[in-house]
Amino acid sequence: MKQEEVNFGKSDQFNLTMIPGSFARRMRTCLIWQFFRFTVINIKMLIVVSKSH
Amino acid sequence: MARLIIMGGGVSGHTTATFAKKWLGEEHEVVVVTPNSQWNWIPSNIWVGVGQMSKKDVVFPLAPVYAKAGIDYRQAKAVSIHPNGKEGSDESYIIIESTKEGTQGQTEELTYDYLVNATGPKLNFDATEGLGNGKGELGNNTVSVCTADHAVHANIELKQLFEKARKAKQDGTGERQKILVGTGHGMCTCQGAAFEYIFNIEHEAKKAGVRDMIDIKWISNEAFLGDFGMGGLHMKVGGYAVSSKLFAESLYAERNVDWIIGAHTSKVEAGKIEYELLDGTMHEETFDFAMLIPPFAGVGLKGYDKDGSDISDTLFAPNGFMKVDAKYDAGAYENWKASDWPETYQNPTFDNIFAAGIAFAPPHLISKPMSSPNGTPINPTPPRTGMPAGIIGKAVAHSVCDMIKKGKENAHLHKASMADMGAACVASAGKGIFDGTAAAMTVYPVVPDFEKYPGTGRDTDYTFGEIGLAGHWIKHILHHMFIYKAKLKPGWTLIPE
């Protein structure tokens, strides 16, 4: 059984939601991708901060 | 020379005081009254609570910072406000009571020209039987991460639980440990802190090799996971606009964290809580370790008129928070509007009094009001911490400085409505430079405006969220950046609130 499928069987609450697969999980800690996301998130946050002052 | 007194030295009060002093210079006096001798970067307390930071990483002494800035610092708690003075004097003043070692309990009158109430919340542990100790402090049945000292204690208890789980695993007894984290009352706010703590515990349990011996459960007054006291939010993920409910449930299911929602914790005992659900049913839940956030209330300040009569009702809402320029008679949920929310944070009766951060009384909830068939209100109260608290503090400082320098008639009151303000929120889900994660979210505006943004109430171009290592890096950088800013080190004004 794939890791993301294990928890679906643990409760009805878990069964009715979405659980990330191995690719999505790997990307969360992939340094290259996360450096890119770090830049994007910071830009988005700076826009929100500038709109709020 | 005018005197500005700021009651409270947290995110909002500190921001107001430091900017006001910078803009007013030596010509005018800025006084900070706070019962604390140390400034605490509260968002990092969750890392103290899991042993990833020590207390000294999240606090620093206030006295040298205020001495450097030229701010008169009084380690004391404000007791009462006398806006019309007293018999024989029209000068407005407050009464403070020292919390400093050596002078503890001594009271003093401080006159003011302008007053900012940034006292933050009273952690109302006693609102729930057994959560507090009956003296307004945290009881023995649960732990807390609301203060740095609470977090230090929480970590000690957590490590003992990990040790029990490790021993049970080694001995093969199969004895499991049960952790319960969430809200300790139906009217709590600050679900974000509990959210961060539960996932940091989960992360640490995995690192300690005991995750398979521990059941972790969330309990909250939210009507749905991901409400966060803001009625939830919609964000763009993978080409979809999705509710934060799906976003949050996905994380809980992935991490094997079960949840109870729509719950009012009515009683706490050693190892057991009783709670009522939105459907009116009563339940019990056992635990070996529990961290339950208390509800917030005003700090208990009183207001008195010149003749000594009590005018607390004029200054404060029934929950103890200060009345400002909000619409408090908006009525039913269907009538709520973004414009109900305050803009200038000026008290409607006394134009030289303002409130900032948690200390101001919100006009109503942000989340949809809910109650059980028994009449128990079970809904999160509005969050006013972090970025909004800082922005409001700065706007209030601006207004007061204008009033002092240009006179009340010519001054421009600066606006910082939460219905026209966004917030960036980074919720840690585990600490680690290479294996940490955090949910990085922005929401714009904090209070949904369904007239401006029909549908979700928010601008989905600027409301987003994602989980990953990048979020953790941002959270870590923010920790150092905001402590640097609070210490007023070179360039501190360039760091936004």
Side-chain angles (χ1 to χ4, degrees), chain B residues 285-334:
Chain B
E285 190 69 36
T286 58
F287 62 83
D288 298 295
F289 173 98
M291 197 294 287
L292 300 174
I293 298 275
F296 290 172
V299 295
L301 273 166
K302 304 289 284 179
Y304 294 101
D305 208 348
K306 202 177 177 104
D307 60 4
S309 58
D310 194 326
I311 55 165
S312 301
D313 290 354
T314 309
L315 283 167
F316 303 102
N319 56 11
F321 295 118
M322 184 168 261
K323 287 180 188 171
V324 290
D325 60 324
K327 184 175 167 56
Y328 292 108
D329 56 356
Y333 175 69
E334 293 70 32

Side-chain angles (χ1 to χ4, degrees), chain B residues 144-160:
Chain B
S144 153
V145 288
C146 293
T147 70
D149 286 327
H150 285 172
V152 169
H153 170 246
N155 176 49
I156 293 168
E157 298 263 330
L158 183 66
K159 290 296 144 66
Q160 286 171 357

Side-chain angles (χ1 to χ4, degrees), chain B residues 251-496:
Chain B
L251 181 63
Y252 281 67
E254 180 199 346
R255 299 283 194 94
N256 193 17
V257 174
D258 211 350
W259 65 82
I260 301 165
I261 46 167
H264 162 65
T265 304
S266 52
K267 191 176 179 185
V268 184
E269 295 172 21
K272 191 177 86 177
I273 64 159
E274 290 176 13
Y275 63 94
E276 178 183 351
L277 289 180
L278 273 168
D279 63 9
T281 55
M282 299 297 296
H283 303 265
E284 288 182 359
E285 190 69 36
T286 58
F287 62 83
D288 298 295
F289 173 98
M291 197 294 287
L292 300 174
I293 298 275
F296 290 172
V299 295
L301 273 166
K302 304 289 284 179
Y304 294 101
D305 208 348
K306 202 177 177 104
D307 60 4
S309 58
D310 194 326
I311 55 165
S312 301
D313 290 354
T314 309
L315 283 167
F316 303 102
N319 56 11
F321 295 118
M322 184 168 261
K323 287 180 188 171
V324 290
D325 60 324
K327 184 175 167 56
Y328 292 108
D329 56 356
Y333 175 69
E334 293 70 32
N335 302 325
W336 292 0
K337 287 183 180 167
S339 56
D340 299 341
W341 286 76
E343 292 182 325
T344 65
Y345 302 88
Q346 189 179 39
N347 182 265
T349 312
F350 302 100
D351 64 4
N352 60 343
I353 299 180
F354 291 77
I358 297 173
F360 84 82
H364 44 66
L365 304 178
I366 301 176
S367 305
K368 194 172 182 178
M370 302 264 183
S371 60
S372 76
N374 309 321
T376 310
I378 306 176
N379 34 230
T381 47
R384 318 188 283 287
T385 52
M387 187 172 152
I391 293 175
I392 293 167
K394 190 173 179 180
V396 166
H398 238 131
S399 297
V400 173
C401 291
D402 270 6
M403 288 169 93
I404 290 173
K405 286 182 167 178
K406 298 174 186 168
K408 283 180 187 175
E409 299 76 22
N410 304 318
H412 166 66
L413 289 182
H414 293 253
K415 295 178 179 176
S417 167
M418 282 174 63
D420 198 27
M421 174 199 303
C425 171
V426 189
S428 172
K431 191 171 182 291
I433 293 298
F434 298 112
D435 66 349
T437 49
M441 290 185 280
T442 64
V443 53
Y444 187 89
V446 177
V447 175
D449 186 342
F450 288 98
E451 287 172 348
K452 203 168 177 183
Y453 307 105
T456 69
R458 296 195 175 96
D459 187 338
T460 47
D461 286 336
Y462 300 108
T463 302
F464 79 99
E466 69 177 70
I467 297 170
L469 184 56
H472 170 71
W473 291 338
I474 294 169
K475 172 107 182 157
H476 205 92
I477 290 168
L478 290 179
H479 165 88
H480 292 290
M481 222 164 75
F482 282 116
I483 288 179
Y484 181 92
K485 179 184 168 85
K487 286 181 175 175
L488 310 183
K489 293 204 171 175
W492 67 273
T493 55
L494 300 173
I495 299 170

